[in-house]
Amino acid sequence: MLDSILLKLIQQESNAPNLDPMQADSFERPSFYLHWITPVRHLLAMRYLKHKKSLLTAFTEQAIYPIHKRDYIDALEEKLQKKAWFGWMNNPGAFISPLSVIVFYPLVIAALIFSSWQIHHWYVDKKMHLALADRMPYYSELLHRAQVARQYAADEPLKKYLALAEEEKKNIISLVPNEGAVHTLMERALSSMQDDTQTNADIMVHFKNLNAEMDLEKLPYYMSPKLFMDDCSSFAPGVDKEQNEIMNLLERLLREQEVDDKPLCRTGIITVYNVDERRALDYLDQEKEELPLYHVTRADKVPAADGALGLTFKSQGVGSIILLDQIKRFAEQSILPALTFQGRSYIIPYWLQGYYDIEESITKNYKHDIGELFKSPESIKRLRAAAKEMLLDQQHLASSRMQQTLQRSTPATTGTTGIIGGLDAISGMMDAVREPSKQPAQDEAREELDELMVSLLPSIEYHEAYHQIEKESWPEPAWVATNFKDLSEHGIESSLEELGAYLTQLVYTDTGHKVWLTKLLLFSLNSMTKDQPEYYASSMIFSALRDLYLLHDIKPNHELSVDEKVAIFKTLSEMGITELQNKASVAFEVLFERPVVILQQID
């Protein structure tokens, strides 16, 4: 741009005394460029001096002295013509007209301001990503090392790791924008991870408050602690278990902590998500209540996948998170292979292998829903080619199949032991990080693959939104005391939650209903989920819908045989969407003795 302007000015002034190779001339002074704003004047003068110095050096090397003005101007024009770019800049006269002062300069200034804002936004986001996605896992690891050192009674390593963790915590907080109360709440949340006087519920609430503040301040991240409680001796293999328990008990008594049973020790990891979009559903009861839904992708690179498609922590979390990474993986690697004969064995969990009748029914359901979504033969052709390409990556599909085998619909809750939040590390280890192979067929079908994933989102949103609804005032159905008599209070609550969430999901699902019927079947047949909420919920749903199909009164029951479940699954799969929605609505009203919850999309 500067060279183009100089070229035009030199062509206009070639016969004037403003150019002189043998002494300082007017082009070297910023004041010569009167029609340009001050910063541009200095840039033009400096640019001209650079070219003049270069040409004088070239003439000197050729032993040409003195330098004639015409030779100098010709050489200068030739040099500038080679440097000039964007042809429209070869005629910059328009930019030094009075109109440019009104139009061009303000546009340039506005562009500079906008670019500066964009660069600042990018820099802030980069710092946040460094703090939350890259440094947060290291902070979690330091706390785990400190826990291990404490159980081995290694005082020096313990002090070292606690000091490093404290330093890392300060670094993380310093890299996050100090908006509102974000710094204060982040300090409390991170500190709670190493404070064994805090319960798991306390820690979850600290992160809930932090996530709520970050949402308020429009910071696009969501953090979820995954906590693990176990015997303290498990952190120190080789140490006498009884001695370890006594030492931990004495330590906590000296700190005046209440200990009802043998002490348990906690470790964990803070998973970090990018919030791609914030959506919400309205729950219409006596008053309208907004139920937030965060569409997220994992920001950290911890090689452990979430064990569900969505997570809701109820009173211990903010809204629900819809896990786009997992949904994408489920759509592409657990549904799409149904389009090929070789891929059907990958759409079912390992424990169902060999049940060819069920495999055939599931394959038929998935192919039907894909066909309903994509009417174009070209789209189906591209999807089938993408599925065949995926089959070449056996290791990746095996890890996806393992993940589906382990998948649960809800995270574990804050009980005494176990993982709070649910991570699947096994499939992550199977799917080791490696160089990605070229995927031309999947790239060509990317639009269809994205549409397949997006088609699953509304149903998952309704499921997770249901979990957010406060149900303290709901009366317990009369049948619970008989059918769930062997369950704990927490087991009853969780089973009712899943029962309501899946029925609500079926009521509001407009597309892909056969996918969700299949998921319910897998939960109801899976020996790994027996005594889990998903097992009771799915079994109750099939029993209730079976009674409705047979025109019987609904008798709550979760003890159907495998053959009965498969038979009603096949029957329901042949129903239209409206008929299935109506039956699910009736089942909800009978089982919960109240109307179906009203959930509405927010315009």
Side-chain angles (χ1 to χ4, degrees):
M1 175 177 166
L2 294 176
D3 291 330
S4 298
I5 296 172
L6 284 173
L7 176 61
K8 186 64 179 178
L9 291 174
I10 288 167
Q11 290 173 344
Q12 293 174 351
E13 301 286 340
S14 59
N15 295 320
N18 294 319
L19 287 165
D20 192 334
M22 301 302 296
Q23 60 185 1
D25 57 37
S26 300
F27 274 77
E28 299 176 22
R29 297 192 297 273
S31 59
F32 174 75
Y33 307 95
L34 186 61
H35 296 286
W36 293 88
I37 57 177
T38 301
V40 177
R41 295 176 192 175
H42 287 273
L43 290 173
L44 288 169
M46 292 171 61
R47 188 70 173 173
Y48 173 75
L49 278 172
K50 179 181 178 182
H51 288 311
K52 184 174 183 178
K53 180 180 178 182
S54 174
L55 289 174
L56 293 178
T57 301
F59 279 117
T60 302
E61 290 175 350
Q62 298 175 43
I64 298 176
Y65 191 85
I67 304 169
H68 295 290
K69 181 177 179 180
R70 176 45 54 191
D71 294 337
Y72 170 69
I73 292 175
D74 290 343
L76 183 58
E77 288 183 351
E78 181 181 0
K79 184 179 180 67
L80 291 173
Q81 284 173 348
K82 293 179 180 178
K83 293 283 187 179
W85 52 283
F86 290 117
W88 57 271
M89 289 302 301
N90 289 329
N91 184 22
F95 295 103
I96 58 177
S97 66
L99 183 62
S100 67
V101 178
I102 301 174
V103 179
F104 180 69
Y105 293 154
L107 287 176
V108 170
I109 293 172
L112 290 173
I113 293 173
F114 179 75
S115 299
S116 300
W117 179 82
Q118 287 284 77
I119 292 172
H120 172 73
H121 183 75
W122 170 83
Y123 178 67
V124 170
D125 190 64
K126 184 179 180 181
K127 287 204 308 178
M128 281 189 67
H129 186 85
L130 173 65
L132 302 180
D134 296 343
R135 305 193 79 135
M136 195 70 82
Y138 179 54
Y139 175 75
S140 302
E141 181 185 349
L142 288 172
L143 295 184
H144 178 76
R145 292 182 182 181
Q147 183 67 270
V148 172
R150 180 179 287 111
Q151 301 314 312
Y152 277 112
D155 292 337
E156 288 304 316
L158 175 60
K159 292 178 182 178
K160 172 188 172 183
Y161 291 134
L162 288 178
L164 287 172
E166 185 65 24
E167 181 181 352
E168 193 63 25
K169 179 179 69 176
K170 293 177 180 177
N171 289 335
I172 291 171
I173 295 173
S174 68
L175 292 170
V176 175
N178 189 16
E179 304 284 351
V182 168
H183 276 199
T184 300
L185 294 174
M186 183 170 286
E187 199 282 332
R188 291 175 185 170
L190 297 183
S191 297
S192 69
M193 291 287 290
Q194 57 180 302
D195 184 357
D196 59 12
T197 65
Q198 300 269 341
T199 65
N200 289 336
D202 293 336
I203 295 174
M204 296 294 288
V205 169
H206 282 304
F207 278 91
K208 171 187 177 179
N209 296 335
L210 172 60
N211 288 323
E213 185 69 12
M214 293 187 74
D215 181 39
L216 183 65
E217 299 298 334
K218 309 300 182 185
L219 300 178
Y221 287 89
Y222 192 106
M223 281 164 280
S224 172
K226 305 296 190 285
L227 307 173
F228 179 79
M229 299 286 289
D230 206 350
D231 292 336
C232 296
S233 58
S234 66
F235 293 92
V239 173
D240 183 84
K241 185 174 181 178
E242 292 184 0
Q243 181 180 350
N244 178 271
E245 290 176 0
I246 293 173
M247 294 300 295
N248 276 283
L249 179 60
L250 289 174
E251 180 188 3
R252 299 189 187 195
L253 289 174
L254 287 172
R255 284 185 286 163
E256 298 183 354
Q257 284 184 243
E258 293 184 6
V259 182
D260 296 330
D261 201 348
K262 64 180 181 181
L264 296 175
C265 289
R266 176 175 54 229
T267 188
I269 185 169
I270 304 167
T271 50
V272 181
Y273 304 90
N274 282 116
V275 178
D276 294 355
E277 182 182 7
R278 185 194 189 278
R279 294 172 53 81
L281 291 174
D282 276 337
Y283 169 50
L284 304 184
D285 194 21
Q286 295 179 351
E287 295 181 358
K288 182 185 294 186
E289 178 185 356
E290 182 182 276
L291 307 176
L293 300 160
Y294 300 92
H295 288 203
V296 301
T297 52
R298 275 285 285 275
D300 61 71
K301 302 302 180 185
V302 177
D306 291 283
L309 303 180
L311 295 174
T312 303
F313 298 102
K314 297 177 73 65
S315 63
Q316 297 172 1
V318 178
S320 303
I321 54 177
I322 309 300
L323 302 166
L324 300 183
D325 295 323
Q326 294 304 100
I327 298 169
K328 178 176 182 292
R329 186 171 184 172
F330 174 66
E332 295 182 6
Q333 298 173 16
S334 297
I335 297 176
L336 189 64
L339 291 178
T340 67
F341 179 79
Q342 301 92 335
R344 62 177 56 195
S345 62
Y346 288 98
I347 65 177
I348 60 173
Y350 282 106
W351 50 264
L352 200 55
Q353 189 170 2
Y355 292 85
Y356 299 112
D357 181 48
I358 299 176
E359 181 182 302
E360 177 64 29
S361 297
I362 292 174
T363 301
K364 182 180 177 182
N365 273 3
Y366 285 171
K367 290 175 70 174
H368 175 274
D369 278 352
I370 293 173
E372 285 292 307
L373 187 62
F374 301 100
K375 301 296 186 180
S376 166
E378 290 300 316
S379 293
I380 296 295
K381 182 179 178 180
R382 284 192 289 269
L383 287 170
R384 185 173 287 112
K388 290 179 178 179
E389 186 178 74
M390 288 179 188
L391 291 175
L392 300 177
D393 192 350
Q394 299 291 326
Q395 181 183 356
H396 197 56
L397 280 177
S399 69
S400 182
R401 191 177 180 192
M402 174 60 77
Q403 189 174 48
Q404 186 177 196
T405 299
L406 298 174
Q407 191 177 81
R408 293 185 57 190
S409 65
T410 53
T413 51
T414 52
T416 54
T417 62
I419 298 178
I420 313 305
L423 281 178
D424 162 27
I426 297 178
S427 59
M429 289 186 288
M430 291 177 64
D431 189 18
V433 176
R434 61 192 186 284
E435 286 294 322
S437 58
K438 292 184 178 179
Q439 303 171 332
Q442 293 171 61
D443 293 339
E444 187 177 353
R446 180 47 52 195
E447 184 177 340
E448 286 83 4
L449 292 173
D450 289 343
E451 187 176 347
L452 177 60
M453 183 200 77
V454 170
S455 71
L456 302 175
L457 296 180
S459 187
I460 299 170
E461 289 180 344
Y462 283 115
H463 181 109
E464 297 303 327
Y466 178 87
H467 285 314
Q468 295 185 46
I469 297 172
E470 182 59 53
K471 307 175 185 71
E472 288 293 328
S473 61
W474 289 19
E476 184 177 273
W479 55 266
V480 169
T482 303
N483 281 267
F484 289 167
K485 61 182 179 181
D486 296 328
L487 297 184
S488 64
E489 182 179 348
H490 172 68
I492 292 173
E493 179 185 350
S494 299
S495 297
L496 289 174
E497 272 290 327
E498 288 310 303
L499 177 61
Y502 275 111
L503 283 172
T504 301
Q505 188 173 354
L506 291 177
V507 168
Y508 285 100
T509 292
D510 293 325
T511 59
H513 63 293
K514 296 188 179 184
V515 169
W516 306 116
L517 283 175
T518 299
K519 203 162 182 61
L520 287 173
L521 178 70
L522 297 180
F523 280 135
S524 72
L525 299 182
N526 190 352
S527 59
M528 297 177 66
T529 60
K530 280 190 175 179
D531 298 325
Q532 296 293 334
E534 296 82 5
Y535 171 80
Y536 289 106
S538 56
S539 299
M540 292 284 296
I541 289 172
F542 281 126
S543 175
L545 295 180
R546 181 174 181 268
D547 287 340
L548 289 174
Y549 174 73
L550 296 174
L551 303 180
H552 297 164
D553 292 335
I554 293 178
K555 296 180 179 179
N557 174 32
H558 63 270
E559 297 180 346
L560 292 183
S561 67
V562 171
D563 290 340
E564 288 174 324
K565 290 177 181 177
V566 173
I568 189 59
F569 164 74
K570 291 180 179 179
T571 300
L572 296 172
S573 297
E574 297 299 322
M575 288 183 183
I577 293 178
T578 302
E579 184 180 2
L580 181 62
Q581 289 176 323
N582 291 338
K583 285 188 174 356
S585 179
V586 172
F588 185 100
E589 292 173 357
V590 172
L591 292 174
F592 284 93
E593 301 169 5
R594 58 168 290 124
V596 175
V597 296
I598 300 176
L599 298 173
Q600 291 183 346
Q601 297 281 353
I602 297 178
D603 297 329

